[in-house]
Amino acid sequence: MSLIALTLAVALQAAPDPAEAEIAAVLDRLNAASTAADGPAYFALFTPDARFIGTDATERWSMAEFRAFAEPFFARGRGWTYTPHDRVITVAPIECRCIAWFDEELDNAGYGQTRGSGVLRLTADGWKIEQYVLSFAVPNERSAAVVEAIRDAE
């Protein structure tokens, strides 16, 4: 392989995936909208039949249920701020390139380190979140105490 061909091959491998960049932008807009307590912008990023799975075991919400929970906070100008880092986006290796999933670490003033993960679908209106899961990252050495606390609460 010539030096030019090798350089081109390396450059093509390193080129960012446009779909991944679009998905990252959706997730960044989600965090910006929640921080700004902008309900219309926030909920516009989800599919109508999306699910939001929160940190509490009871929080497996349809969009209508999640909107009913969140809109009173947004109406008072209170959102939530999660600062993402270490994000990984995977576009499904299928012909349509229309399904993707992600996981990311999130920092929050109240909860500390959390994790967001989910699924997005490419729609006629661009990438939309189909499912979002927010979870606590529990260090393995503390998991027994967390499990015990949960059992005690039940």
Side-chain angles (χ1 to χ4, degrees), residues 43-141:
F43 287 106
L45 298 169
F46 290 89
T47 63
D49 58 345
R51 290 163 305 289
F52 187 96
I53 301 170
T55 56
D56 189 275
T58 64
E59 296 174 344
R60 185 184 189 285
W61 290 323
S62 68
M63 272 302 97
E65 293 165 331
F66 187 51
R67 186 183 298 264
F69 166 79
E71 281 188 338
F73 290 97
F74 288 160
R76 291 191 306 267
R78 291 187 50 218
W80 45 85
T81 300
Y82 288 88
T83 305
H85 57 92
D86 297 316
R87 180 182 287 158
V88 176
I89 297 169
T90 304
V91 178
I94 55 179
E95 189 174 332
C96 67
R97 296 188 47 79
C98 58
I99 302 291
W101 53 91
F102 72 95
D103 65 88
E104 61 189 357
E105 292 181 30
L106 301 160
D107 294 325
N108 176 270
Y111 289 147
Q113 184 179 343
T114 61
R115 183 166 292 138
S117 61
V119 177
L120 292 92
R121 178 168 44 96
L122 185 58
T123 72
D125 296 322
W127 287 96
K128 299 286 184 176
I129 300 165
E130 186 78 29
Q131 177 171 291
Y132 191 94
V133 179
L134 179 63
S135 59
F136 293 115
V138 177
N140 287 335
E141 63 274 6

Side-chain angles (χ1 to χ4, degrees), residues 136-151:
F136 293 115
V138 177
N140 287 335
E141 63 274 6
R142 303 232 172 148
S143 62
V146 171
V147 169
E148 183 177 336
I150 292 168
R151 287 184 180 146

